[in-house]
Structures are given as structure tokens and as C-alpha cells.
Amino acid sequence: MKSVYQIAAGLGGLATWVAAVEVVGLVDLLKGDDYITVFAPNDEAFSKMSRDSVEELLGDFEKFAANIRYHIAPGRITASELGRIDSLRTMLKDDLLIEARRGLQVNNARIVEPDIECRNGVIHIIDSVLTIRKHSKVRAGQFAVGQEYLNLGIGG
């Protein structure tokens, strides 16, 4: 079976995402042996971004790289597992909010193609580019993939 990178590169509708991963130097991570879950925005998702948002991201390489990492979580988390949790910690140590009431969503991006199996993880194709929320935190009582988070009163 192929790696997350190989499968994403071969799908066709993820050309912008794959190019972004290459630019920020995450190819080795996506080809690696550690299990990861990727929320990959399709090409349409990038085309829906406002010109200001695109210019802001591309104008700051560190912010751009962080935003791409925000789409990746450690571990292999399937859609059925996502449906049972409220949030998920990303590589950036920031949280994605998971919502399953009106179809599976991650931070208001709809998962349009879930559970694309890869040797080293799973890809969920989403219809919007995720943006890092300024003050995201997990509220007390929420959990992500078996790890309980405490509310330390940070952010807000």
C-alpha cells in the first residue's frame, strides 16, 4: 500500500494541497512510518479562499507552514472514530473541533471523502481550507482520541 503522500499526489483533486506540503517540507512526514491523519483540502477548497486570505498565508512562510501542519494529526483516525469525539489535537498542538450532527465536519469544513486508507495513515478530503483559530482551546470535559485535556484557562 502507498504512503499518504503517494496517494494524495495520485488522487488528482489534491494538487494544491500536495504542492503546499512540498513547499513547506512535509513530504518525508507524509511518506514516513508514523501513522497520521490528514484533512486534505481539495483544489476547490483553495479556490474558495478570499484573495486576502491567500495573500496573508503566502506572505508569511512560518504562518503558511503552521497552517499546513494544522491539517495533520498524529495517529490513524477513521471517520467512525471522528464521529465519537469532540476535538482532535493536531501536529501543531492545537485543536480541531469535530462535529457530526450535520455530516462529519472539522472546524466547519465538511469531510467530502472520508477514510482514504494509506500505508501510514488515513486521508479525509475536506471542502474548505482550515485556518488556525486565534484562541482555540479544548473545554473541560472534552477529549480527543483517548487523551483527556484539562482546561487551564488559556486562550479565550
Side-chain angles (χ1 to χ4, degrees):
M1 187 177 283
K2 294 180 178 181
S3 71
V4 168
Y5 174 78
Q6 292 167 315
I7 288 178
L11 284 175
L14 298 178
T16 308
W17 165 252
V18 170
V21 163
E22 292 167 350
V23 166
V24 300
L26 293 177
V27 171
D28 287 344
L29 173 75
L30 272 59
K31 284 183 174 180
D33 292 328
D34 293 333
Y35 285 134
I36 55 175
T37 297
V38 172
F39 298 96
N42 58 25
D43 291 341
E44 280 181 50
F46 284 96
S47 70
K48 287 192 318 191
M49 289 179 73
S50 74
R51 183 184 192 103
D52 289 346
S53 296
V54 171
E55 287 175 4
E56 184 182 337
L57 264 184
L58 296 179
D60 181 343
F61 183 79
E62 289 304 313
K63 186 174 187 173
F64 179 65
N67 186 274
I68 299 305
R69 286 185 184 90
Y70 187 60
H71 289 76
I72 304 169
R76 180 195 298 252
I77 302 126
T78 65
S80 65
E81 291 167 318
L82 288 172
R84 295 192 302 264
I85 61 177
D86 297 316
S87 64
L88 179 64
R89 178 93 4 132
T90 70
M91 281 184 62
L92 213 53
K93 307 286 189 250
D94 211 336
D95 299 302
L96 297 171
L97 298 180
I98 309 298
E99 170 65 55
R101 282 191 293 251
R102 293 168 284 129
L104 204 50
Q105 294 185 326
V106 88
N107 283 16
N108 299 320
R110 221 166 35 87
I111 295 179
V112 293
E113 198 173 330
D115 293 338
I116 299 170
E117 290 292 328
C118 310
R119 171 185 52 77
N120 60 335
V122 63
I123 300 170
H124 303 290
I125 298 178
I126 55 177
D127 69 351
S128 300
V129 177
L130 303 175
T131 52
I132 300 168
R133 295 184 341 272
K134 301 268 188 285
H135 299 289
S136 66
K137 65 179 180 180
V138 177
R139 293 183 300 279
Q142 287 186 321
F143 66 95
V145 194
Q147 297 173 316
E148 292 193 17
Y149 296 116
L150 302 174
N151 182 358
L152 302 176
I154 300 170

